[in-house]
Amino acid sequence: MKLLSTRFLFLIIFLGLSAGYSQDKTLISVKADQNAPTISRHIYGHFAEHLGRCIYGGFYVGEGSEIPNTMGVRNDVVDALKALKIPNLRWPGGCFADTYHWKDGIGPKEDRPSILNVWWGNVKEDNSFGTHEFLNMCELLGTEPYLSANVGSGTPQELADWIKYTNHPAGTSPMPDLREENGRKEPWRVKFWGIGNEAWGCGGHMTPEYYSNVYRRYATFTTDWNNNDKLYRIASGASSSDYNWTEVLMKNIPHHMLEAIALHHYSVIDWGNKGPATGFSEDQYFTIMERALMMEELIQKHVAIMDKYDKQKRVELFVDEWGGWYDTEPGTNPGFLYQQNTMRDAMIAGATLNIFNNHADRVTMANLAQAINVLQAVILTDEEKMLLTPTYHVMRMYSVHHDAKLIPVSFVSPQYILNDKAIPAVSVSASKAADGKVHFSLVNIDAHKTQNIEVNVADLNLKKVSGEILSSENLGDHNTFESPEKVKTTSFKDAKLKDGKLSLSIPPFSVVVLEGM
Ligand code: AHR
């Protein structure tokens, strides 16, 4: 282990002593604020691309399958996602979206053309899962659809037709009539529309100046044409720290035609050498957590640019792709991005969702990439088998924050130190639900140290507290089809409430959610 420099040590001790952190305790103060924002439930959104086994085998097995299903969608998956109360689902990509022509995926299945999925493994895409299958599945899940439109290789007309097909009443133009012919009378009324995806990369390798103009053209035809449903037009936003992308979009796109900008940020060690999803070293864990915690700085800096052009915060910030990205599992198709999910992923999820909650005034949607069998999935499947990942458990525990009022917290985190580097070990967010219940989500990412925490809750008038914890013996622990419940939550009884103070100790690499009332 390298020695810490004296300057670095001094800085840590100084920061620790000067603001709410004594060597053995982290002091957190909370301030219930009437003007605090509501945490949009859409921060807990998901993403389903035609990639690997996310749609086919993951969500959709077809009506003829022996796997129990409803309209071809796996019943086990529907139940699991309903328990998460997933607020929205983004589809059909991703990079796939800019190659997707939606008219290929409607009408009798035997008449639908097959295409090659050129981004993801060059496999055959038979279009058996299309607009009807996706939007009906969203109804089954009780979730809002978020359609990502093809800007890279599509046309504004194609997008305008898709809006009329999905949203307009029958009898008003040929598209809704076609929908009715295909078996669906009532429109689905899709609200969220992505105008391209990663326009700086797989969506067309555009410059921000060029994309701004393209966006303006597409956005002009992305309207409800007085159908009285306000649409969200979502611009393809920056990759991680490309602040110039946000600057140019905010400057060049009139804000009356821009409801949100979508940032993408993945936690990856190195795009050329991502490291394994399991069996990783502590060094690799630390680097991944550094990348995940970078979300705080990214949001602050992108928001500062947005604030410069939009003081009223009219334009929202979505983070519609985020999560950990590792090497694919040995023996699987590298184009399918299938990876296991460990306690490390639970740390990414817990810490990142706390960051989103604490920025709820501008961050109003986020989509974990991706829901099933791809990247940081909440569900893995193997034929008829299904398991819930550690990330799933975090998402479920945090669902208490959906549409709750943020309670701002302030504290100085102790540091998790490895070699000569340090990152904050503790992350927290808090909210008050409509029924008056208060929730705290606390994460300790330190691989070794337990954190002693004291929260001053005098302002909140709490009488009792209960909790749930996700922890495990090893950071690399994960669920397998042979042992699907190795990592699971248990009730947490160690939080003490006394004299307006809440005290607890959080074990290394664990997530705790407390409920007070
Ligand atoms: O989520 C996988 C891919 O990552 C998406 O298709 C793309 O948008 C991003 O680069």
Side-chain angles (χ1 to χ4, degrees), residues 48-179:
E49 180 165 9
H50 284 239
L51 196 180
R53 295 186 299 112
C54 184
I55 296 295
Y56 300 110
F59 280 98
Y60 189 72
V61 286
E63 284 171 80
S65 171
E66 283 180 2
I67 299 174
N69 68 82
T70 307
M71 300 181 299
V73 181
R74 299 176 68 124
N75 291 345
D76 50 0
V77 161
V78 171
D79 292 345
L81 292 179
K82 274 184 148 175
L84 279 192
K85 298 189 254 178
I86 70 161
N88 68 71
L89 190 58
R90 178 171 179 251
W91 176 83
C95 296
F96 179 79
D98 281 294
T99 62
Y100 183 64
H101 300 282
W102 69 269
K103 285 179 188 162
D104 290 349
I106 56 169
K109 293 201 187 200
E110 59 279 12
D111 296 343
R112 298 184 192 178
S114 288
I115 59 164
L116 269 191
N117 189 334
V118 288
W119 284 113
W120 306 116
N122 262 324
V123 292
K124 179 173 155 185
E125 161 63 63
D126 68 3
N127 280 303
S128 56
F129 189 88
T131 298
H132 288 250
E133 289 76 16
F134 175 70
L135 294 176
N136 291 341
M137 179 175 90
C138 287
E139 286 185 339
L140 197 61
L141 292 167
T143 196
E144 288 253 16
Y146 169 2
L147 294 179
S148 205
N150 181 347
V151 167
S153 68
T155 62
Q157 180 67 56
E158 209 178 335
L159 169 54
D161 282 351
W162 208 7
I163 295 169
K164 289 182 194 139
Y165 190 87
T166 57
N167 285 11
H168 283 199
T172 55
S173 70
M175 283 299 120
D177 292 350
L178 182 58
R179 179 191 68 229

Side-chain angles (χ1 to χ4, degrees), residues 47 49 51 94-96 120 197-198 202 264 266 321 325 337 369-370 375:
F47 173 31
E49 180 165 9
L51 196 180
C95 296
F96 179 79
W120 306 116
N197 169 74
E198 298 195 347
C202 64
H264 287 183
Y266 285 98
E321 284 185 34
W325 192 322
L337 308 187
Q370 300 193 5
L375 300 178

